[in-house]
Amino acid sequence: MSDDNDLAGNIKDELTEVIHIKDPKIFVIEWLPFDSNQLRELNKKMDIEKGAHKTLLTGLIDKQPNVPIFQSKGAHTKVFVEDYELDSFVNLQAIIDLPEEEGIAQVEEMAIFVSRDGFIIYSLELAEIENLNTYMSIDKITRVVADLCQDSSVVIDSLLTEFQRNFIEIIFGDPIHRPKTICYVGDDIKIRHEDIKDYYDGEEFEIELSQLLGEGHEPFQVGNNLFFKGSRGTCAIVDKFDKETEYQIVFWGIQHAMNNFVDNFMSRIWELYDQTKQVKKIVDEAVAGNTDALNTVTEEITVITSTISLVGQIKEFLKDSSKDLLEIYGKNEKCNLDGFYEVENSLKSSQRRILESEKIISGLLTELDGLRNYVATLSELQMRKMSKVMTKNTKSMNEVLQANTRTSEAIDMIELILAGSIILEIFAFAVGEITTEQTFFGSILGGEGFGKDQWITLALLVISVFAWITIVILLRRSKKKMEIEALQDFFVTLSVNRKIDTAKMEEYISVRTVQIKNVENDKDNTIISYVWDGKDDPNLLGKEIEKVSLSYNATNCLLLSIEIETSVLDIPQDELLGYLMEDLEAKEIFIK
Amino acid sequence: MSFEDKTPESSKVETFESLTRDQQLLLYTIDYLTKWMVSDEHFVRNEGDKVWIKELPLWAIMYYQITHGSYETYDYAPIPIQFFGRSSFTVNLSYEGVDDVEDLRELDVLEKIRLSTSQHGFVTAYRITEIGDKYLLKIPKDVIDEVEKLFFCESCQKRMHFYMNMGDNPSVLMDCPDCDESDVHLDFLESEDVSYVSKPYFLKISDMLKR
């Protein structure tokens, strides 16, 4: 790695480098929701219980549980367990092997300390940057840190549970790009000022410190040792990096990381508060009668409530952790840096903020609960209104039906009268009006007997009754025919679910006059549907079938359903389906 | 805690001549951005309203100018910043530029405004004051040319417009309203890599971090 050509970079500008620190150590610190269970899960993932010493880490998921082999692209992070307590902490060594741009050579090894209290410390010593191996410029170090921040997220992401990933997504949105606290420690500084305040020149030195620590940083000096802390991190130049100094710096980083998390956590709560306000507006629209708004708002309330519940869970992790961290910090001895770093005050401030967030979370939940009840009442009212309208409609329908029945009966009566009138008209036209001095029965009863006239009259009466009945039947039939023609076609559907030879099926359909073909693809299946003309189907000629619809699953070769459409009501359903099914059997389309 | 104006009175009466070339270039850049960087079809300018340039696009343009050698003393470094109170992205930021913006504010040449965002973060924006307008009249032509040369399309010489996409995959680009192929992607959000070797540092205090 010391070959000059190896350690290059891709910086596009000539850098103005004024601060160089000797043998820098970097601590990247973040806080994530952890507890004993999460840590135990992490340790299990590391195979610790089997005593395994080296595990390749990957965030990949086994998506083919039934396949006995597994493929990967090759670039992974190697992790060694240095020390652990199953549900308290784990100390790891990671060798990161992630793809880099051409010409960039990185040997990235770091230690990772994960505590059940949620803090994760990625720590390393920089041995070389672009061929510099003693004093390294801040400009270059910040570029290393940008890389570390991203790579550390990738490494830890493969160790987290899905439960924790959900939390990260809720708070930061992006699982990789999240803020972290950086602590820098160097053994010496190349350009040393006797008084630390001389670094605050308003020019290059101060600007480089801002670049490293964020704006508004402040200094502290103890003899030869220099300390700076800012909004993004801290930097210490110390002759001897002893345990006390490390403890102060690392603990400042832990509280800063926790405060960072609380900042984002609070932002998320305020966002949820805004979303709830938005929901109230939609409820107002629903009150004004917008039924679409009523549907939307129910869904919105469910989503927001579920997110707030998760935020509430995160708050519990924060609450426990802040309490524990105060306890841990309190039990250890402090050095003279305690006053500068103010760790205890900051931890207490985090704790107060977390406790205060409880009020907002519970307020939001109560408000959402109220909104949910209000929306439920609105829905109920809406349902009642609909039910009333339905009852009214049903009543009207019944009235229409009754009127129809009465009309139908009246039509039947009219039919009879009409038939009678028609027959009388026919007779009047055929034989003219029959006039006798006495009526048919009068002449018989008057003793004139049953003569020729009576026979003729009787015959005419019988003929007219017979004709009347015939006309009534004819009228009925024509009425029924008109009714059938007014009705829509008749459909028969069969759910088949049998294995087919799809190639044969396609061949079968290819000789039909296909009117519609539809292909639906989803994640797992391809469903193909056809509709063809029944009158042009060589198998169905003369069978009075209008259309045939068929759909099959091309992925698992399953015939799903067939549907036959006919305008003739009196063909039995089995017969209709039989025409097609028997033909499919005969063509050996079904696989036995 | 009380705040006081720590600006030395003497600096407030400094004249245009006291500005460095980089400060003049920065001042003219801000003026240019507020006037030309957004096309009128995307931004309705109401007469009498003040136009401000937001911090993030200003930084992006500053980076673009640095990589094209416009500034004499600025460099940049990857700095993590949070977008709209959520994801933290690394941007190539020039702290020399940030410092000069503050210097120009101290001279009352620039003024600053803070806006809330819907994600409960804050956005800072800047505009040139009336004093600044007087300074602009004195900007030398070579500085004006230096600024403007980067904002005209190489093919058709039309003014380029500026766009920011702050979605899931944020990007910053300039494009020409007439030529489709002349988009300039500002790799402001892509941090540069350096080669390095690191070794793990195991905490001496791991025992002290346990309950």
Side-chain angles (χ1 to χ4, degrees), chain A residues 334-363:
Chain A
K334 328 285 177 310
C335 64
N336 52 4
L337 290 172
D338 186 40
F340 174 63
Y341 280 119
E342 296 178 308
V343 173
E344 197 166 342
N345 284 346
S346 302
L347 280 173
K348 280 182 180 165
S349 154
S350 303
Q351 197 176 34
R352 196 166 45 246
R353 291 172 70 201
I354 296 158
L355 286 173
E356 282 170 3
S357 74
E358 258 175 14
K359 286 185 277 186
I360 306 162
I361 293 172
S362 96

Side-chain angles (χ1 to χ4, degrees), chain B residues 50 52 104-105 108-113 125-130:
Chain B
K50 292 173 179 178
W52 304 77
L104 292 174
R105 280 188 60 217
D108 290 334
V109 171
L110 281 185
E111 58 182 341
K112 173 173 160 177
I113 196 167
Y126 301 96
R127 69 175 285 276
I128 293 172
T129 61
E130 282 176 24

Side-chain angles (χ1 to χ4, degrees), chain A residues 18 20-21 46 112 120 209 216 224 246 311 411 436 548 581 591:
Chain A
V18 292
H20 294 76
I21 54 178
M46 294 292 311
I112 306 174
I120 304 170
L209 283 169
N224 219 19
E246 184 178 304
V311 167
I411 287 172
T436 53
V548 180
M581 288 298 283
I591 299 170

